[in-house]
Amino acid sequence: MEVPVKVWALLVLLSVCLKTVLCFSNGKVEQACDDMTPEHGHQSSPHPPPYSITVDKSKFSPLEQIKVTLSAVPSENKAHFKGFLIEARNASNPNAGPVGCFTLLDPEISQLLRCNDREGAAVSHTSEVSKTEVQVIWTAPQDPPSSVQFQVTVVQKYKLYWVRIQGPVVSLNDAPPLPPLPTAGQSVAKTTTAASILSDAFTSDDCGIKKSCLREPAGCDPWKDALCYFLSFRTEDASVVFELSGPAPGYISFALSTDKWMGEDDVYLCIKEDDRVDISAAYVQGRTHPVIASENVLRDTAWRLADGVIQCRFRRNIRIPATYQNRSDLGEAHYLFMAHGRAEGGRTHRHDRQPLISTNPVLITGLPEDLTGSRSHLLIKFHAVFMLIAWMTTVSTGVIIARYFKPDWAETTLCGQRVWFQFHRALMLVTVLLTCIGFILPFVYRGGWSKRAGSHPYLGCTVMALALIQPIMALFRPAPDTSRRYVFNWLHLGTGMIAQVIAVVAICLGIHQQALLLPAPWSTGVLAGYVVWFVLADLVLEVHRRGLFSIGQFVKSFEIHTENIQTEDREEILFVPSENESYIKGHCFKKIVLAVYLCGNLGFLIILLATIGAV
Ligand code: HEM
Ligand SMILES: *[C@@H]1O[C@H](CO)[C@@H](O)[C@H](O)[C@H]1NC(C)=O
Ligand SMILES: *[C@@H]1O[C@H](CO)[C@@H](O)[C@H](O)[C@H]1NC(C)=O
């Protein structure tokens, strides 16, 4: 009995030794110098690594030193690590092996490795103890590559590791190192702390859980989606960490405002300058250029430039002493504005698009939440809604009724007037009313005439004028049986048609306004669909009226038609058909066409209104 126990004990001991050797918990991983891959027989994790690699400089000279920090992202659950391997590689030829050499800052947890016969070419762990951060110093070689990238393999547990996480890229100063300043006695130390470079894009994983996020499009993730505009913030003790990301040619920014208008706002700018990003606080007074603050109130700044996306992160104290004026108190609720645009020589241009504004005021230090925002003001949305209802639906229905439904309901009257006329008048009055209300709204929004809206406002004013002329003209129309009635008929028809055409053009331009940018070319397609639908309905009714649907009636109907035009056609507006049997028979058909037309029309209208609601 004794022997097997001893054998077991030996086997267990052996397997422990074997395991230790196989996974190198002592960190002597020299044979991984080149491929940086642990021989654990698993795949590198496909998920974004919960670690960040930062550097304290983005530029270096030969033999200059850079501090490299590998740390677990604090917001991630249990993101400590057991093993790591840090190397610097020629960024233009990353497979050519390590460059430069390291010195240790944390010798208990890190050790130097010998790669390609060079001592200190890489750094690894010393034991399996869980760590959350390690710092090392890298020294550039005498003749370094023009850019160097730090690459790190991190082992969280035996089966869970990330191979060659792509860290920050640092580049060689093309200028030779500056000689010491000749001005003796006055050594003005520049106090700006260098921003570090982010190793990876921000993610939206913790939005609403550990940090608050304002995003466009809603729910997007800057880690996956290069078109994502993203602002997040998270309170840590007495400070708040902000992350800002988005595609932009020159800058991205956000502002804290007490109202939904620009002006008197606390602004934070991340401006791209050549191949780096300047992170600063600024202030806008009125609708002017932001003025960059002279005091440095931002700490722990870091940035990243990739695929046209500017990303930056910084920390700010919740309260900033009154001596640093213009910095709002993060303990109070503010509207958040996000804007981006071009920049030149560190100076920002006006934003390319309307700023994204949070729907409600937000308490920055409040509980994490997923925020919503919009680039369009409610006034402008209502402007578009009123105009679309008026010039897509009510006007076209009113026109169809006037053109094709005059002979119907010949015997019935509605409040002393013929039925078609009551419908026509009511629909057109609604159109004019909606146009009047919708017309005022953009002026209220702009506080005057808009200079950046192109020809849309001019066309809009023309439509408004024509829409007002129509009812006035109708009010003073000559009686049906007078000889000048045809003048009114033509004018009324002409003005109405011109107004309708200009309105469609104005709407086409309207949906491409910056103040209410509907998705293109899709929304233009819906609009074109509406126009085609209207023309189609008009055509069907016209063909039907001419009796072309039933050949037998064609000749008869045609005769009646021509006869009518000569005799009694003074009565009403232009296309006056006679009230004879064949038309009354077609009454049902016309009603069906009108109903089908209205259904389609309302479909197009609802699609556009829903789109407006969503932007
Ligand atoms: C026939 C219908 C329409 C008329 C008569 C009309 C009329 C006008 C007028 C007169 C203005 C100028 C206000 C100013 O300069 O401050 C304006 C501005 C504007 N309209 Fe329209 N509009 C129509 C349809 C639409 C539609 C359908 C949309 C959007 C879907 C739209 C979007 C806008 C926007 C966003 C502005 C503000 C531009 C700016 O200030 O940046 N409009 N409209
Ligand atoms: C870095 O890689 C590039 C591209 O292969 C090469 O031209 C350059 O000489 C390398 N630099 C050094 C210092 O090895
Ligand atoms: C805010 O900043 C602007 C521009 O830098 C300055 O003119 C203004 O006086 C400041 N306001 C306060 C209250 O300090």
Side-chain angles (χ1 to χ4, degrees):
M1 280 309 271
E2 237 176 66
V3 179
V5 170
K6 270 187 185 160
V7 170
W8 271 117
L10 206 75
L11 276 178
V12 167
L13 208 76
L14 209 76
S15 77
V16 167
C17 286
L18 207 69
K19 185 177 175 243
T20 313
V21 171
L22 273 183
C23 68
F24 295 105
S25 59
N26 63 1
K28 289 276 174 210
V29 290
E30 259 96 357
Q31 63 267 63
C33 273
D34 283 331
D35 61 4
M36 299 185 71
T37 305
E39 311 280 308
H40 293 187
H42 290 273
Q43 292 291 310
S44 177
S45 168
H47 300 290
Y51 304 104
S52 76
I53 304 154
T54 51
V55 289
D56 66 348
K57 301 191 181 94
S58 57
K59 298 249 182 200
F60 66 87
S61 309
L63 300 178
E64 194 173 330
Q65 297 194 318
I66 292 181
K67 181 155 88 179
V68 184
T69 307
L70 163 67
S71 56
V73 176
S75 60
E76 298 282 345
N77 239 349
K78 292 190 290 180
H80 49 74
F81 52 91
K82 293 185 169 172
F84 62 86
L85 178 64
I86 305 176
E87 286 186 17
R89 297 285 177 108
N90 179 350
S92 356
N93 190 7
N95 292 328
V99 297
C101 60
F102 289 93
T103 35
L104 300 179
L105 286 174
D106 307 313
E108 315 83 2
I109 55 167
S110 56
Q111 64 182 330
L112 298 177
L113 294 184
R114 193 178 179 81
C115 297
N116 307 339
D117 274 315
R118 238 164 8 88
E119 186 61 34
V123 184
S124 70
H125 55 281
T126 51
S127 75
E128 261 187 39
V129 168
S130 287
K131 311 162 253 290
T132 53
E133 188 181 87
V134 61
Q135 293 195 315
V136 292
I137 298 284
W138 177 77
T139 309
Q142 188 91 56
D143 53 345
S146 59
S147 57
V148 165
Q149 182 173 40
F150 293 97
Q151 300 194 343
V152 181
T153 290
V154 184
V155 179
Q156 190 175 92
K157 27 187 189 201
Y158 187 74
K159 293 182 186 172
L160 182 59
Y161 53 84
W162 286 264
V163 175
R164 285 177 83 169
I165 301 170
Q166 305 288 302
V169 176
V170 292
S171 47
L172 182 63
N173 270 325
D174 24 33
L178 287 172
L181 283 172
T183 42
Q186 134 195 33
S187 60
V188 184
K190 219 176 163 222
T191 50
T192 48
T193 45
S196 52
I197 301 180
L198 296 160
S199 61
D200 208 348
F202 301 136
T203 85
S204 59
D205 286 354
D206 290 330
C207 284
I209 305 162
K210 291 179 182 155
K211 57 190 183 189
S212 294
C213 300
L214 177 61
R215 296 179 271 177
E216 188 214 51
C220 68
D221 186 348
W223 197 79
K224 296 186 215 129
D225 186 359
L227 295 178
C228 184
Y229 290 97
F230 175 87
L231 169 67
S232 84
F233 45 89
R234 162 177 92 230
T235 310
E236 283 178 7
D237 303 325
S239 65
V240 175
V241 176
F242 290 94
E243 292 173 334
L244 186 58
S245 165
Y251 74 96
I252 47 170
S253 67
F254 74 89
L256 303 169
S257 180
T258 47
D259 50 36
K260 281 201 166 189
W261 307 97
M262 192 181 153
E264 273 62 66
D265 300 330
D266 182 10
V267 179
Y268 299 86
L269 296 163
C270 297
I271 308 174
K272 181 174 143 188
E273 276 194 78
D274 303 325
D275 52 356
R276 50 189 204 90
V277 176
D278 252 6
I279 303 170
S280 51
Y283 186 75
V284 275
Q285 214 161 29
R287 294 196 172 190
T288 56
H289 225 76
V291 179
I292 291 181
S294 49
E295 321 91 12
N296 183 16
V297 293
L298 308 181
R299 292 177 286 133
D300 297 353
T301 52
W303 56 268
R304 182 172 187 266
L305 285 175
D307 315 321
V309 175
I310 303 176
Q311 298 204 310
C312 59
R313 177 167 68 199
F314 59 84
R315 182 189 293 277
R316 207 212 92 163
N317 282 355
I318 294 173
R319 283 181 193 83
I320 289 184
T323 47
Y324 299 107
Q325 280 152 342
N326 285 336
R327 294 277 81 84
S328 40
D329 183 343
L330 299 184
E332 287 161 15
H334 289 94
Y335 284 103
L336 288 168
F337 282 55
M338 256 172 98
H340 64 273
R342 287 167 301 119
E344 239 172 285
R347 206 174 143 81
T348 57
H349 287 243
R350 187 182 189 277
H351 40 77
D352 289 346
R353 292 179 57 192
Q354 296 292 114
L356 179 67
I357 305 176
S358 63
T359 315
N360 299 306
V362 182
L363 187 64
I364 304 290
T365 52
L367 290 174
E369 54 182 325
D370 225 343
L371 305 164
T372 54
S374 170
R375 290 193 192 271
S376 297
H377 199 275
L378 216 54
L379 286 174
I380 284 298
K381 289 191 175 185
F382 273 109
H383 165 70
V385 167
F386 286 160
M387 293 304 192
L388 285 176
I389 295 174
W391 292 94
M392 270 179 75
T393 301
T394 56
V395 95
S396 63
T397 314
V399 163
I400 287 182
I401 286 183
R403 282 183 65 140
Y404 301 104
F405 285 79
K406 273 188 203 145
D408 302 79
W409 307 291
E411 279 84 47
T412 34
T413 55
L414 209 64
C415 309
Q417 294 280 0
R418 295 173 64 193
V419 177
W420 78 264
F421 181 68
Q422 291 290 35
F423 271 120
H424 176 72
R425 191 170 60 179
L427 285 166
M428 291 318 189
L429 278 180
V430 169
T431 303
V432 174
L433 217 67
L434 287 173
T435 312
C436 287
I437 306 170
F439 181 78
I440 299 166
L441 299 179
F443 291 97
V444 176
Y445 166 73
R446 275 281 173 226
W449 185 256
S450 161
K451 293 180 208 80
R452 291 199 183 81
S455 30
H456 174 81
Y458 298 99
L459 294 175
C461 287
T462 314
V463 171
M464 183 74 247
L466 295 178
L468 285 178
I469 290 172
Q470 280 292 69
I472 295 171
M473 237 163 39
L475 213 61
F476 296 108
R477 68 186 179 278
D481 43 4
T482 56
S483 60
R484 272 173 296 133
R485 173 70 177 208
Y486 78 98
V487 179
F488 165 74
N489 290 349
W490 278 109
L491 272 179
H492 189 69
L493 176 85
T495 315
M497 263 170 55
I498 291 169
Q500 230 191 328
V501 170
I502 298 179
V504 169
V505 179
I507 291 173
C508 276
L509 296 173
I511 59 179
H512 294 116
Q513 292 291 320
Q514 281 300 328
L516 183 66
L517 203 59
L518 301 190
W522 186 73
S523 50
T524 317
V526 177
L527 208 60
Y530 149 71
V531 174
V532 168
W533 191 243
F534 173 71
V535 171
L536 212 68
D538 198 63
L539 219 65
V540 168
L541 289 169
E542 184 65 37
V543 168
H544 174 259
R545 175 168 60 195
R546 295 184 181 231
L548 298 183
F549 281 144
S550 54
I551 304 297
Q553 284 180 353
F554 172 63
V555 179
K556 179 180 160 219
S557 158
F558 184 74
E559 280 163 2
I560 293 165
H561 205 77
T562 40
E563 176 195 329
N564 280 338
I565 284 166
Q566 289 151 6
T567 56
E568 48 168 302
D569 191 28
R570 301 271 158 74
E571 191 205 354
E572 291 291 348
I573 301 186
L574 208 64
F575 301 101
V576 177
S578 67
E579 287 142 39
N580 64 56
E581 284 170 45
S582 67
Y583 286 105
I584 292 163
K585 269 186 212 153
H587 180 60
C588 190
F589 174 78
K590 287 194 293 183
K591 267 172 135 175
I592 291 170
V593 174
L594 182 64
V596 171
Y597 169 74
L598 262 180
C599 286
N601 180 285
L602 288 176
F604 288 121
L605 180 69
I606 287 167
I607 292 175
L608 282 179
L609 298 194
T611 317
I612 290 170
V615 293

